[in-house]
């Protein structure tokens, strides 16, 4: 079964994808994490996407579909959660041609709350665990609870890029929600609730999809 998590930057897709991976043994495909790892390892792909990502713009559909093709081939037969893909109508159309989707869970959060969450977000440079300066501080300042590595502010979380990313989301990604509403795969989740409540709701929806 393939489940898609959708939502604006800061909505909590990554957190909930991690939950599905940990608690429900899903295989997680997080395109943002994959691309950031390529940048860290200075691969050719990483070099080609770094500037675009740091500006908060979208990487090209052709690069993303190539990444997805590989990931999907490596995870045949598993339950998969997609985090960060599809982000454009073209990506959604590519996916519809290639795979059967069980459902699309939209974690819906209003813009003011998104900005509040993104500002203050800290990410582990090694294991990608996510923290928040005031909401979910690490036990030791600047260090990951899980692996003790250094926490960083993502380049695209810097203030001037956040508005740009939210605009890209409204323009390019919101129409994708309409795409899934039309084919009956769309489910809204109230993302203003606590992480545990959102996880609970996702779990509930998954059991309906399985039936
Ligand atoms: P967030 O959801 O918080 O915006 P992600 O980690 O999912 O962050 O993605 C970070 C960046 O990676 C995006 O701003 C974009 O540059 C790139 N990216 C990730 N997934 C895609 C995609 N499906 N299509 C195009 N670009 C993508
Ligand atoms: Zn870590």
């Amino acid at each position: 079964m393939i489940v898609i998590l959708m939502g604006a930057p800061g909505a909590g897709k990554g957190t909930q994808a991690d939950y599905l991976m940990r608690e429900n043994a899903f295989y997680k495909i997080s395109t943002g994490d994959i691309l950031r790892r390529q940048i860290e390892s200075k691969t050719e792909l990483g070099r080609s996407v770094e500037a675009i990502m740091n500006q908060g713009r979208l990487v090209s559909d052709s690069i993303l579909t190539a990444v997805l093709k590989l990931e999907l081939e490596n995870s045949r037969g598993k339950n998969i959660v997609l985090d960060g893909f599809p982000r454009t109508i073209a990506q959604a159309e590519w996916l519809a041609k290639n795979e059967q989707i069980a459902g699309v869970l939209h974690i819906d959060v209003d813009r003011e709350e998104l900005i509040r969450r993104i500002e203050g977000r800290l990410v582990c440079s090694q294991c990608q665990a996510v923290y928040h300066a005031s909401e979910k501080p690490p036990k030791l300042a600047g260090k990951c609870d899980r692996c003790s590595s250094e926490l960083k502010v993502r380049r695209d979380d810097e203030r001037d890029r956040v508005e740009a990313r939210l605009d890209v989301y409204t323009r390019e990604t919101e129409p994708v929600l309409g795409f899934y509403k039309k084919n009956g795969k769309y489910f809204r989740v109230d993302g203003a609730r606590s992480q545990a409540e959102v996880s609970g709701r996702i779990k509930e929806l998954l059991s309906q999809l399985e039936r």
Side-chain angles (χ1 to χ4, degrees):
M1 142 158 110
I2 301 182
V3 175
I4 301 175
L5 286 184
M6 286 194 60
K13 296 185 300 289
T15 305
Q16 298 302 333
D18 283 345
Y19 159 81
L20 288 177
M21 186 171 72
R22 257 191 348 262
E23 307 287 324
N24 300 63
F26 270 74
Y27 181 88
K28 176 179 81 157
I29 301 179
S30 166
T31 49
D33 287 351
I34 292 169
L35 296 175
R36 276 186 292 276
R37 250 180 260 128
Q38 296 285 328
I39 293 174
E40 286 271 325
S41 340
K42 303 195 181 343
T43 62
E44 196 179 324
L45 174 63
R47 271 195 290 271
S48 73
V49 302
E50 184 166 17
I52 292 173
M53 265 183 86
N54 286 344
Q55 289 163 30
R57 290 162 53 209
L58 292 185
V59 174
S60 76
D61 290 333
S62 59
I63 289 181
L64 263 295
T65 52
V67 166
L68 252 285
K69 192 164 180 283
L70 246 173
E71 287 286 323
L72 290 167
E73 275 163 13
N74 291 336
S75 53
R76 287 269 157 244
K78 294 187 179 147
N79 285 329
I80 296 169
V81 54
L82 295 182
D83 162 23
F85 186 97
R87 252 182 164 89
T88 64
I89 290 281
Q91 291 174 17
E93 284 172 344
W94 176 87
L95 190 61
K97 240 181 266 156
N98 290 283
E99 302 288 340
Q100 193 72 34
I101 300 303
V104 176
L105 311 184
H106 172 211
I107 307 177
D108 197 8
V109 178
D110 70 47
R111 189 168 172 124
E112 262 139 76
E113 172 67 9
L114 292 169
I115 293 174
R116 202 185 61 75
R117 288 188 191 176
I118 296 174
E119 293 180 346
R121 179 154 73 173
L122 295 164
V123 182
C124 174
S125 53
Q126 282 307 313
C127 76
Q128 323 289 333
V130 180
Y131 300 85
H132 190 280
S134 57
E135 303 294 307
K136 195 192 171 203
K139 292 198 182 81
L140 249 170
K143 297 270 182 270
C144 180
D145 292 352
R146 279 195 220 156
C147 73
S148 303
S149 301
E150 190 194 346
L151 301 182
K152 286 187 180 161
V153 173
R154 264 168 52 176
R155 287 285 298 279
D156 62 348
D157 277 354
E158 289 165 23
R159 194 183 198 111
D160 54 329
R161 323 245 160 95
V162 172
E163 295 273 352
R165 276 160 65 214
L166 291 174
D167 291 343
V168 168
Y169 177 79
T170 303
R171 199 171 60 239
E172 305 280 346
T173 309
E174 268 182 2
V176 178
L177 298 174
F179 178 93
Y180 290 116
K181 278 176 190 162
K182 259 185 275 169
N183 67 15
K185 301 275 157 100
Y186 174 92
F187 300 88
R188 179 182 177 275
V189 176
D190 180 1
R193 297 180 176 279
S194 74
Q195 284 181 10
E197 284 171 315
V198 173
S199 296
R201 181 73 184 123
I202 287 176
K203 199 172 169 187
E204 226 172 79
L205 286 168
L206 284 181
S207 67
Q208 286 174 29
L209 293 178
E210 275 167 347
R211 251 177 262 140

